[in-house]
Amino acid sequence: SSSGDESLRDRRTRILSRGLPKQKPIEGVKQVVVLASGKGGVGKSTTAVNIALALAANDSTKEVGLLDADIYGPSIPKMMNLKGNPELTPKNLMRPLKNYGIACMSMGFLIEETAPVVWRGLMVMSAVEKLLRQVDWGHLDYLVIDMPPGTGDVQLSVSQNIPLTGAVIVSTPQDVALLDARKGAEMFRKVHVPVLGLVQNMSVFQCPKCKHETHIFGADGVRDLAKTLGLDILGDIPLHVNIRESCDSGQPVVIAQPQSDAAKAYLKIAMEIVRRLPVPPA
């Protein structure tokens, strides 16, 4: 009936008028940079850890935090060599655990290392909200958020609830990874988050014996995608056993081997990220 259609239109208008959740800054945090990828297994968490350390290494006056937003598969505790439960402040806020000068928060600090998180979406959203809002971050110049793979609830929740300064997309040059990396970049554009650029991970493998270089996952795939999307390439990270071994041991390569080519690649990418950030509030 016409009255029923009119009622439905009124209801839709009321819902749409509410709009998106109002973005609220995280207290004490000046700029928030998210590292994302459409697909898992492209080295995003390793990149996030080393970039957070590189931001601090490039400018010792800056305070840097690292938030592990991957509820189902938190990896920051192992990579940053951190264990234990966060202490609570008098205001009942969690204090981040700290190593190498970086304040870290992860679901991995709140559950047993081998315990699976078997939750539905709403519980995951609640956990992300707590990791964002119920943490005493102190005063941070940069908060790096390691996003889970994909373009789902967590990405939308973070993007819509806090003002993000920018997003960095990590991908290998492989065609399958590039398909999802493009979706990730387009998602951030849709929610009006500036995409600072792309990182080409596992770009080339150099044989440690003969020094011959092999493009295991293809060559320049991320560069071609960047041109298509009109985005910048922030840098290339080689496929190197030291990067993997150092993160597995809880001593990321930027800390363990700061003069290595791998560490220099992360340091350069961190510089490129800062160059593209707006002037932070005083």
Side-chain angles (χ1 to χ4, degrees):
S1 67
S2 59
S3 61
D5 290 344
E6 191 173 338
S7 173
L8 189 61
R9 279 197 298 272
D10 288 345
R11 185 165 173 241
R12 179 190 283 173
T13 302
R14 285 198 305 273
I15 292 171
L16 290 174
S17 68
R18 296 175 195 165
L20 294 173
K22 189 172 181 181
Q23 290 183 329
K24 181 183 173 188
I26 301 173
E27 188 174 348
V29 178
K30 290 184 179 179
Q31 297 188 308
V32 181
V33 177
V34 296
L35 264 80
S37 67
K39 184 170 288 298
V42 298
K44 172 186 49 58
S45 293
T46 301
T47 305
V49 165
N50 279 291
I51 283 178
L53 291 164
L55 286 168
N58 282 339
D59 189 342
S60 60
T61 67
K62 302 297 185 185
E63 293 292 330
V64 181
L66 179 60
L67 172 60
D68 187 351
D70 194 342
I71 303 300
Y72 294 116
S75 51
I76 298 304
K78 183 174 180 63
M79 292 183 179
M80 289 296 286
N81 196 26
L82 287 167
K83 284 185 179 179
N85 301 118
E87 295 178 356
L88 293 178
T89 69
K91 293 184 178 180
N92 214 32
L93 298 175
M94 293 181 287
R95 282 202 178 98
L97 275 63
K98 209 164 188 178
N99 198 11
Y100 309 124
I102 307 295
C104 301
M105 182 51 62
S106 169
M107 191 69 196
F109 300 147
L110 308 176
I111 58 172
E112 292 294 324
E113 189 175 17
T114 57
V117 176
V118 188
W119 288 352
R120 293 188 184 275
L122 286 174
M123 292 177 72
V124 173
M125 294 304 94
S126 176
V128 170
E129 181 74 12
K130 285 180 172 62
L131 291 175
L132 288 170
R133 301 288 181 198
Q134 295 184 20
V135 175
D136 181 7
W137 288 105
H139 296 282
L140 296 180
D141 295 284
Y142 309 115
L143 176 62
V144 176
I145 300 182
D146 177 24
M147 289 282 211
T151 55
D153 287 344
V154 173
Q155 288 81 358
L156 281 173
S157 182
V158 171
S159 302
Q160 293 173 353
N161 280 284
I162 61 172
L164 300 179
T165 318
V168 174
I169 308 296
V170 181
S171 180
T172 64
Q174 187 179 7
D175 287 349
V176 173
L178 293 169
L179 287 170
D180 290 341
R182 178 169 190 158
K183 292 174 187 173
E186 296 289 6
M187 185 213 75
F188 284 113
R189 283 178 163 175
K190 280 193 174 182
V191 293
H192 309 295
V193 174
V195 180
L196 303 176
L198 278 66
V199 171
Q200 182 162 258
N201 197 25
M202 308 182 198
S203 58
V204 65
F205 171 74
Q206 185 183 72
C207 175
K209 292 185 177 179
C210 70
K211 305 302 181 186
H212 176 71
E213 292 189 345
T214 305
H215 295 275
I216 292 174
F217 294 105
D220 294 330
V222 178
R223 292 182 179 279
D224 294 339
L225 176 62
K227 286 179 187 174
T228 302
L229 296 176
L231 295 171
D232 294 335
I233 283 284
L234 302 174
D236 294 69
I237 302 166
L239 178 62
H240 202 292
V241 67
N242 288 356
I243 297 175
R244 193 271 303 165
E245 287 179 344
S246 60
C247 267
D248 280 353
S249 68
Q251 293 182 310
V253 71
V254 168
I255 291 294
Q257 301 169 20
Q259 298 305 316
S260 65
D261 289 343
K264 288 175 182 176
Y266 289 117
L267 293 164
K268 176 182 175 293
I269 290 168
M271 280 178 27
E272 293 296 328
I273 289 172
V274 171
R275 276 184 52 207
R276 288 161 175 78
L277 293 175
V279 178

